[in-house]
């Protein structure tokens, strides 16, 4: 099965560029370095996302940044037909579950945006899309999946 | 069950739908005037105000425009279920002696955007950083995301999503105020224009202009001043909130705040699902009533789709649901919760266009945001 990139890169310039806040800066420094970094609580040893200043599970403030493997699985999604600025629909808007546990919203790229190629729990790997001065984490089917 | 606080007045704007000549503020004011008239009350008898609107006027602006000087003010803003929260808070305030008669108003120029601020983007908010970069365009591309996981985990199907839209049209076809009134088939729903797979246009709510208002007061006050219409007793209420970002739902196959808020409301009312004659579930999209039926315990896990498909929620069914046609077919200004309450009141009073026989108890489940917040009201006649 050929894997085609359906996102015209020329449009990326028109896509929404978020702005880092002080507490999320390490996350965006991570993506700029090609790494997916999330926080983990040293009291309850539980990683979480999105970045914040205390653990949402136990309230602990002793947090550390960890670098994720980048492996994830497809948790749920829609295939949007709506033309968001910079996106050429159809766009796969997904929530993925990181190997470390937390979930995040993202786009699925590198696969035709059709349901038969996007079964839930599909193994995924992070990649980064440069947008403005930020690198946005998006996911594509993992290499083992592509080779299959 | 306590019966000391009642809904005395309830009304919607004269029209709902496309109202490009009416501002957001005027939608509040018009619905408030109509609810006051319905209650048989004058401005000077209102001492509490509660309201919210997306990008529009808050409670002080609405009170001032009406000519009310409130000594109880609630601007709780938790999405389209806010008005259910307002009812709950008004009940508490009235019981505490902080207010005697609370006016709760809604007005939203959701379609025409008259007198309302444009949708705001704060590029350093959590949602902007972690959801907006992905080509999301409001509720049709975010509220919808949990559905595939829900279907897979519960065994409900795409056809069941369509069945919800089909059942709603059976009701709206009986409602002359509904924007969409033609009955549809499952094939027509599944074959409609795709918005965000698996959601077609007919599985998504309308976008309309309109408003509604309620007068909540003590039974004692209502009986001394009120109208000849049956009183609607606020028998039980509940509220809960989880996450502002749909991507951070704990489990996309269940909506925890639906369960928490309804458990609280049932507990206070001393009732359970089998005691409810009539049901309103905020149907911003076709999957939400399925979550509601399962998460509130009206059916078992995985049984909601078949329950709807078998006609139980349709006219003549065992549990009439969304009898105005709902957000999918009646009206949805952006904050639908007020309209769900209004239909429950009409059914309990015997005033609905698609009136169900012998409605003694009605439950309203409100949703706010994208599975963000919820509130539940158990209302009874008398």
């Amino acid at each position: 099965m050929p894997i085609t990139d359906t996102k015209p890169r020329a449009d990326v310039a028109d896509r929404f560029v978020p702005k880092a806040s002080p507490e999320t800066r390490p996350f965006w420094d991570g993506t700029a370095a090609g790494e997916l970094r999330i926080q983990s609580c040293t009291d309850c040893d539980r990683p979480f996302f999105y970045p914040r200043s205390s653990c949402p599970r136990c309230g602990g403030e002793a947090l550390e940044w960890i670098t994720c493997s980048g492996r994830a699985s497809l948790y749920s999604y829609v295939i949007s037909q709506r033309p968001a600025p910079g996106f050429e629909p159809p766009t796969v808007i997904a929530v993925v579950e990181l190997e470390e546990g937390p979930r995040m919203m993202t786009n699925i790229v590198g696969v035709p945006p059709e349901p038969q190629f996007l079964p839930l729990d599909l193994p995924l790997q992070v990649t980064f899309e440069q947008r403005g001065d930020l690198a946005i984490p998006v996911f594509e089917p993992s290499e083992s999946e592509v080779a299959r | 069950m306590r019966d000391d606080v009642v809904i005395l007045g309830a009304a919607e704007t004269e029209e709902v739908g496309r109202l490009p000549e009416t501002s957001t503020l005027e939608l509040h004011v018009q619905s408030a005037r109509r609810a006051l008239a319905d209650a048989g009350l004058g401005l000077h008898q209102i001492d509490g105000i509660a309201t919210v609107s997306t990008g529009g006027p808050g409670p002080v602006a609405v009170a001032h425009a009406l000519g009310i000087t409130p000594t109880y003010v609630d601007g709780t803003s938790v999405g389209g279920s806010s008005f259910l929260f307002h009812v709950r808070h008004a009940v508490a305030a009235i019981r505490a002696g902080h207010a005697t008669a609370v006016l709760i108003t809604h007005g939203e120029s959701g379609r025409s955007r008259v007198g309302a601020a444009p949708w705001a983007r704060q590029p350093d908010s959590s949602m902007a950083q972690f959801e907006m970069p992905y080509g999301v365009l409001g509720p049709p591309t975010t509220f919808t995301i949990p559905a595939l996981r829900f279907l897979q985990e519960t065994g409900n199907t795409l056809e069941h999503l369509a069945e919800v839209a089909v059942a709603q049209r059976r009701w709206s076809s009986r409602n002359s105020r509904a924007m969409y009134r033609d009955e549809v088939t499952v094939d027509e729903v599944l074959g409609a224009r795709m918005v965000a797979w698996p959601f077609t246009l007919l599985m998504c709510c309308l976008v309309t202009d309109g408003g509604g208002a309620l007068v909540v007061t003590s039974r004692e006050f209502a009986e001394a001043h009120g109208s000849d219409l049956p009183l609607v007793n606020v028998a039980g209420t509940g509220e809960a909130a989880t996450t502002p970002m749909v991507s951070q739902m704990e489990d996309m196959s269940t909506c925890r705040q639906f369960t928490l808020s309804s458990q609280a409301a049932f507990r206070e009312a001393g009732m359970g699902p089998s005691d409810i004659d009539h049901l309103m579930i905020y149907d911003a999209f076709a999957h939400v009533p399925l979550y509601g039926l399962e998460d509130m315990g009206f059916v078992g896990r995985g049984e909601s789709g078949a329950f709807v498909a078998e006609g139980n929620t349709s006219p003549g069914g065992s549990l009439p649901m969304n009898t105005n046609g709902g957000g999918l077919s009646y009206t949805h200004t952006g904050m639908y919760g007020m309209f769900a309450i209004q239909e429950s009141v009409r059914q309990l009073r015997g005033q609905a266009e698609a009136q169900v026989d012998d409605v003694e108890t009605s439950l309203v489940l409100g949703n706010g945001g994208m599975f963000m917040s919820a509130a539940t009201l158990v209302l009874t006649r008398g």
Side-chain angles (χ1 to χ4, degrees), chain A residues 16 18-19 21 24 28 49-51 75-82 87 93 103 105 107 121 131 136-137, chain B residues 121 123-124 128-131 133-135 137 141 144-145 148-149 152 195-197 245 248-250 252:
Chain A
F16 176 73
K19 185 179 169 200
S21 50
T24 66
W28 294 112
F49 179 82
Y50 49 99
Y75 184 67
S76 205
Y77 68 95
V78 292
I79 305 172
S80 174
Q81 299 290 343
R82 305 191 80 202
F87 285 86
I93 304 172
R103 297 195 202 110
M105 193 178 282
N107 293 132
D121 305 315
R131 200 181 301 181
I136 307 289
Chain B
R121 275 186 170 184
D124 57 354
Q129 292 187 64
F130 301 116
E131 290 193 344
Y134 299 108
L137 274 175
T141 56
T144 46
I145 290 173
L148 282 185
R149 178 57 63 174
Q152 173 154 310
V195 173
W197 186 85
M245 290 191 281
Q248 300 304 310
M249 278 177 84
E250 290 176 348
M252 287 194 177

Side-chain angles (χ1 to χ4, degrees), chain B residues 68-155:
Chain B
I68 293 168
T69 304
T71 52
Y72 166 83
V73 178
D74 184 7
T76 302
S77 177
V78 283
S81 63
S82 296
F83 314 101
L84 287 84
F85 284 72
H86 295 162
V87 169
R88 186 172 204 248
H89 301 173
V91 169
I94 289 162
R95 285 183 181 151
H98 296 161
T100 301
V102 179
L103 177 65
I104 302 170
T105 72
H106 166 62
E108 187 161 8
S109 183
R111 185 180 191 93
S112 305
R113 307 301 302 163
V114 184
W119 305 113
R121 275 186 170 184
Q122 294 169 279
D124 57 354
S125 68
S126 294
M127 201 178 293
Q129 292 187 64
F130 301 116
E131 290 193 344
M132 282 172 52
Y134 299 108
V136 304
L137 274 175
T141 56
T142 49
F143 207 164
T144 46
I145 290 173
L148 282 185
R149 178 57 63 174
F150 171 81
L151 295 181
Q152 173 154 310
E153 299 292 325
T154 61

Side-chain angles (χ1 to χ4, degrees), chain B residues 120 233 239 249 262 278 319:
Chain B
N233 182 46
E239 67 185 70
M249 278 177 84
S262 60
H278 169 258
L319 184 64

Side-chain angles (χ1 to χ4, degrees), chain B residues 24-37:
Chain B
T24 304
L25 178 61
E26 180 56 25
L27 292 168
H28 281 271
V29 167
Q30 186 191 114
S31 56
R33 270 202 310 267
R34 289 166 62 86
L36 286 168

Side-chain angles (χ1 to χ4, degrees), chain B residues 150-218:
Chain B
F150 171 81
L151 295 181
Q152 173 154 310
E153 299 292 325
T154 61
N156 289 304
T157 65
L158 288 183
E159 285 72 23
H160 289 146
L161 281 186
E163 290 280 5
V164 174
V166 169
Q168 309 277 120
R169 284 294 179 88
R170 291 183 184 132
W171 286 113
S172 71
S173 71
R174 292 157 164 78
N175 183 354
S176 64
R177 282 165 63 87
M179 182 172 268
Y180 292 141
R181 300 186 57 199
D182 294 336
E183 290 202 32
V184 291
T185 65
V186 166
D187 284 346
E188 285 170 334
V189 175
L190 292 173
R193 179 162 66 80
M194 192 59 70
V195 173
W197 186 85
F199 286 82
T200 67
L201 187 65
L202 299 188
M203 299 176 188
C204 303
C205 64
L206 302 163
V207 184
T208 62
D209 309 320
L214 301 165
V215 177
V216 179
T217 187
S218 67

